[in-house]
Amino acid sequence: MEPDLLFVYGTLLQKIENSTSHFLKKNGRLLGTGYMSGALYDVGSYPGAVYHPDSKETVTGEIVKLRRVAAVLQVLDEYEGFDPLWPQGGEYIRSLVPVHINLRTVNAWVYLYNFSIEKLVRIPNGDYLTYWNNL
C-alpha cells in the first residue's frame, strides 16, 4: 500500500491561496504542523526544501493525510514538475522522508528541491509562511 501522508512546506500550505492548495484541501485532511530535518531556500515565487537527516535545522510545514493517494499525487507531481518516469530530471523530486509531528515520527511524501542551492537565499528558521507573510 502506498504511503498516504504528505508534508508540505510552501505554496501548498493551507493559508496560501491557489488552485492547487485548494485541491489539496479537498483531497486531504490536515493532521497538523510538523517539521523535517533540513534547510529551506527561496527559489523565486516559491520555496525549495533540502533534506539533511543529521541537521539540527528544520523545515516547518503541514502534514496532510491524502484521500485517493495515487490520483492526488499525480496532480501534485505535475504541479511540482516531478516525473516519476524520470525522477532526477525535474526541479523537485518526490521522496519519503521522516517527519516529526506530535512527538512522533512518520514517513511522509515530500517534494524536495533537486537543483543547485548555491545561489539561493536561505529562508530563516525553515518557515516559509512567516517568510512569505513578510515579503
Side-chain angles (χ1 to χ4, degrees):
M1 183 174 165
E2 190 164 31
D4 63 354
L5 298 179
L6 175 72
F7 177 73
V8 297
Y9 56 83
T11 60
L12 294 176
L13 292 166
Q14 291 209 349
K15 290 185 177 178
I16 296 183
E17 298 287 324
N18 64 59
S19 60
T20 310
S21 67
H22 287 289
F23 169 82
L24 184 56
K25 284 180 204 174
K26 290 179 185 172
N27 291 283
R29 181 172 53 88
L30 180 64
L31 298 182
T33 300
Y35 66 91
M36 67 171 218
S37 298
L40 195 60
Y41 296 88
D42 185 338
V43 182
S45 57
Y46 51 89
V50 178
Y51 173 60
H52 298 298
D54 299 323
S55 176
K56 291 188 182 353
E57 293 185 63
T58 60
V59 175
T60 300
E62 297 170 344
I63 299 173
V64 179
K65 185 172 181 68
L66 302 176
R67 299 179 191 95
R68 303 179 311 118
V69 177
V72 171
L73 287 177
Q74 186 174 10
V75 170
L76 298 179
D77 285 352
E78 187 173 321
Y79 177 75
E80 299 287 359
F82 172 70
D83 182 351
L85 300 177
W86 191 39
Q88 297 298 328
E91 186 174 18
Y92 289 86
I93 186 165
R94 179 167 39 93
S95 299
L96 277 174
V97 172
V99 179
H100 308 280
I101 181 173
N102 299 331
L103 301 175
R104 64 187 184 114
T105 303
V106 297
N107 286 324
W109 290 115
V110 182
Y111 289 93
L112 299 172
Y113 192 66
N114 194 37
F115 291 166
S116 173
I117 57 170
E118 186 178 326
K119 296 182 180 179
L120 299 179
V121 173
R122 197 175 200 141
I123 295 174
N125 303 319
D127 183 346
Y128 183 69
L129 197 54
T130 299
Y131 179 79
W132 182 74
N133 283 327
N134 291 318
L135 288 179

